[in-house]
């Protein structure tokens, strides 16, 4: 055993966690999240806190099973563990159990089917006594991708789906059979629905198909169920982290690199069983390939469809990923190109609008030069024009920019002088895109800008002295453009 300070939340105070030396730091963080309280926690103590009352309840009913020993063994071998609600003494909220599939491989690399069936039976029994009044329990499996990699079966293959069907049949059949036995002892008895399909007859795993059909036959002989639902694939959580699962439920592994920067366990298993050396794997990666199969969302969906008919509960079906559009190449302007420069004044503020055109006359570049604005405002406008130019050169229609930036309202604004195509503008951007719409799109249907008094009061007047109290503006000066009177205290 070892002690480590761990916390599931970086903002929470760490707890001293005692757990087996071979377990990862992520398992310590998971145990810190699962165990109630905020003080030191040891795996054996935390497990005994929920195992003891479950075993005591089973003994009172007369269940002939070494329930406590089985549960401790499943946890120490990291084969199975209950949901977070069970650890925290609130099993009625979400009674669930997760079976870590790769942990059921024996030393010869074969699936221990007898122990797998016993684990399902143990999980159903434990959840029944942990939440005796709950009708729906979820006994599920995790890290299917890791098991398939260890068996040398490609996740995307039909053989992988057949293996998953058989595993789901064992899960459903053994869980329903256990629920039926408990129903005879404890009641109530609910009708047993035997509407799930038969598993495949042959799969590339020794004894798996036979075990699946035996589980189905065991479920077919029950009179009724103690529960309304017994099996379910749930979203991965801290229980999977405690067990060391690399993938949740039936999901594929989308990366061969672990969080620590090395190869994941499933990737190492695949390379080992495939006989691929480290040198060969590196050469494949350097050549742009992948030495391990990385399934996509389509394969995940196919696996979902294979398993769903056997389960009582499933998460939402994974949606196919949208194929990204081909990269849009930039259409550079020729080194020497045409265009025009428009000088105008908006609310008394001068600007120069310059354009660059392709050989076909379409717009590919704009620049907006300002006369008296501050350095920060000029810099923002220069970079804004550059961003619009890049958008035009990458295929963004000018119409989209016109729709976005006409009628933007900020000072300076007001009457436009020097451009017969635009009479008034609510901002410098509004003017610029009205001009571009008229000259490149032939758009003369954009409604005239309605200038409000607040648009022109006090905008861009930094270079003029403020009005003193009762000092009226000189009608002959440029200050006459302001329609309001500003009074400043001493």
């Amino acid at each position: 055993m070892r002690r480590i300070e761990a916390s599931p939340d970086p903002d929470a105070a760490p707890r001293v966690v005692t757990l087996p030396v071979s377990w990862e730091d992520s398992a310590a963080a998971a145990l810190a999240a699962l165990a109630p309280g905020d003080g030191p926690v040891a795996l054996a103590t935390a497990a005994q806190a929920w195992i003891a009352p479950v075993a005591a309840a089973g003994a009172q009913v007369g269940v002939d099973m070494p329930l406590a020993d089985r549960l401790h063994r499943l946890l120490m071998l990291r084969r199975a563990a209950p949901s977070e609600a069970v650890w925290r003494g609130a099993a009625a909220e979400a009674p669930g159990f997760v079976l870590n599939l790769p942990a059921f491989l024996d030393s010869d690399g074969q699936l221990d089917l007898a122990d797998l069936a016993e684990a399902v039976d143990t999980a159903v029994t434990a959840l029944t006594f942990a939440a005796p009044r709950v009708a729906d329990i979820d006994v599920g499996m995790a890290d299917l991708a890791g098991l398939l990699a260890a068996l040398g079966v490609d996740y995307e293959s039909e053989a992988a789906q057949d293996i998953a069907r058989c595993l789901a049949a064992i899960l459903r059949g053994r869980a329903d059979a256990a629920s039926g036995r408990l129903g005879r002892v404890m009641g109530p008895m609910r009708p047993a629905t035997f509407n799930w399909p038969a598993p495949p007859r042959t799969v590339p795993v020794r004894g798996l198909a036979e075990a699946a059909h035996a589980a189905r036959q065991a479920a077919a002989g029950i009179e009724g169920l103690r529960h309304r639902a017994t099996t379910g694939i749930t979203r991965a959580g801290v229980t999977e982290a405690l067990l060391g699962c690399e993938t949740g439920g039936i999901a594929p592994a989308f990366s061969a690199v672990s969080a620590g920067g090395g190869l994941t366990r499933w990737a190492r298993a695949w390379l080992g069983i495939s006989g691929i050396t480290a040198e060969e794997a590196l050469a494949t990666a350097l050549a742009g390939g992948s030495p391990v199969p990385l399934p996509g969302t389509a394969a995940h969906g196919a696996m979902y469809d294979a398993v769903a008919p056997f389960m009582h509960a499933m998460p939402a079906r994974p949606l196919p990923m949208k194929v990204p559009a081909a990269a849009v190449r930039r259409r550079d302007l020729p080194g020497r190109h045409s265009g025009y420069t428009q000088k105008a004044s908006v609310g008394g503020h001068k600007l120069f609008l310059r354009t660059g055109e392709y050989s076909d006359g379409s717009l590919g570049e704009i620049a907006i030069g300002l006369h008296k604005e501050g350095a920060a405002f000029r810099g923002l406008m220069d970079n804004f024009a550059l961003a619009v130019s890049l958008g035009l050169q990458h295929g963004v229609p000018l119409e989209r920019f016109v729709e976005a930036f006409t009628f933007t309202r900020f000072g300076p604004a007001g009457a436009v002088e020097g451009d017969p195509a635009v009479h008034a503008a609510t901002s410098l951007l509004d003017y610029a895109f009205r001009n571009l719409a008229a000259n490149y799109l032939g758009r003369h249907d954009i409604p005239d800008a309605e200038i409000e008094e607040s648009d022109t009061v006090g905008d861009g007047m930094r270079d003029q002295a403020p009005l003193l109290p009762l000092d009226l503006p000189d009608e002959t000066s440029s200050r006459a453009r302001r329609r309001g009177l500003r009074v400043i205290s001493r």
Side-chain angles (χ1 to χ4, degrees), residues 424-451:
T426 57
S427 67
L428 297 181
L429 295 187
D430 178 55
Y431 163 73
F433 286 97
R434 284 175 180 271
N435 175 282
L436 297 174
N439 289 284
Y440 287 98
L441 302 176
R443 292 280 305 276
H444 301 281
D445 58 335
I446 301 176
D448 290 336
E450 296 182 2
I451 308 302

Side-chain angles (χ1 to χ4, degrees), residues 151-411:
L151 295 173
V153 180
D154 189 347
Y155 183 94
E156 292 188 296
S157 65
E158 184 65 31
Q161 296 171 28
D162 284 343
I163 291 173
R165 291 185 181 98
C166 287
L167 291 170
I170 292 174
L171 206 66
R172 175 67 179 271
R174 294 301 176 184
D176 282 1
S179 179
R181 289 195 299 272
L182 290 167
R184 287 196 300 269
V185 176
M186 302 173 60
M189 292 291 284
R190 293 178 172 85
T193 56
F194 198 66
N195 56 358
W196 43 285
R201 287 289 179 183
T202 58
V203 291
V205 176
R206 187 176 62 193
L208 181 58
E210 292 79 5
H213 282 274
R216 179 179 171 83
Q217 186 175 1
I222 61 177
E223 300 174 0
L225 294 174
R226 170 70 176 79
H227 303 92
R228 185 172 52 196
T230 59
T231 55
I233 302 295
T234 58
R235 295 188 180 277
V238 288
T239 299
E240 284 81 356
L242 182 72
L243 295 174
C245 301
E246 290 186 329
T247 59
I250 59 172
F254 293 107
S255 174
V257 180
S258 67
L263 286 178
T264 57
R265 187 172 55 254
W266 78 265
R268 295 195 302 269
W270 177 268
L271 294 176
I273 201 166
S274 302
I276 301 175
T277 65
E279 182 179 357
E280 292 170 339
L282 179 59
T284 301
L286 292 176
S290 176
V292 294
L294 296 175
T297 310
H300 190 188
M303 188 65 74
Y304 182 99
D305 295 338
V307 171
F310 298 89
M311 310 300 292
H312 282 108
M314 292 284 287
R317 189 182 189 279
L319 297 175
M321 297 178 64
K322 293 183 178 180
V323 179
V328 179
R329 300 190 62 177
R330 180 178 178 181
R331 182 187 176 195
D332 292 322
L333 280 170
R336 184 172 182 175
H337 52 266
S338 59
Y340 66 81
T341 299
Q342 175 70 57
K343 177 182 178 181
S345 173
V346 178
H349 292 252
K350 294 180 182 179
L351 80 157
F352 294 87
L353 175 63
R354 300 181 179 88
T355 68
E357 301 173 356
Y358 292 105
S359 56
D360 60 0
S362 59
L363 181 64
E365 182 181 69
I366 69 168
I368 301 175
L370 301 177
H371 182 57
K372 294 191 301 182
E373 309 306 322
F377 191 69
R378 289 200 307 270
L380 286 173
M381 191 63 76
D382 289 343
N383 285 277
F384 170 80
L386 176 60
V388 172
S389 300
L390 289 173
L392 292 169
Q393 293 165 22
H394 282 83
V396 179
L398 176 59
E399 292 90 339
R400 300 294 299 274
F401 290 115
V402 171
E403 292 173 1
F405 297 114
T406 51
F407 297 102
T408 51
R409 187 177 296 276
F410 58 88

Side-chain angles (χ1 to χ4, degrees), residues 53-97:
V54 165
Q60 288 181 355
V61 178
V63 172
D64 186 15
M65 177 190 300
L67 187 55
D69 291 343
R70 284 190 182 185
L71 290 171
H72 279 295
R73 182 171 182 268
L74 286 174
L75 182 59
M76 288 305 300
L77 294 178
R78 305 186 83 179
R79 285 184 165 183
S83 61
E84 183 175 358
V86 177
W87 284 85
R88 291 187 167 275
E93 296 178 3
F97 229 92

Side-chain angles (χ1 to χ4, degrees), residues 7-14:
S7 172
D9 184 355
D11 296 329

Side-chain angles (χ1 to χ4, degrees), residues 14-25:
R15 305 176 68 177
V16 177
V17 178
T18 304
L19 75 169
V21 173
S22 61
W23 290 28
E24 309 87 2
D25 290 353

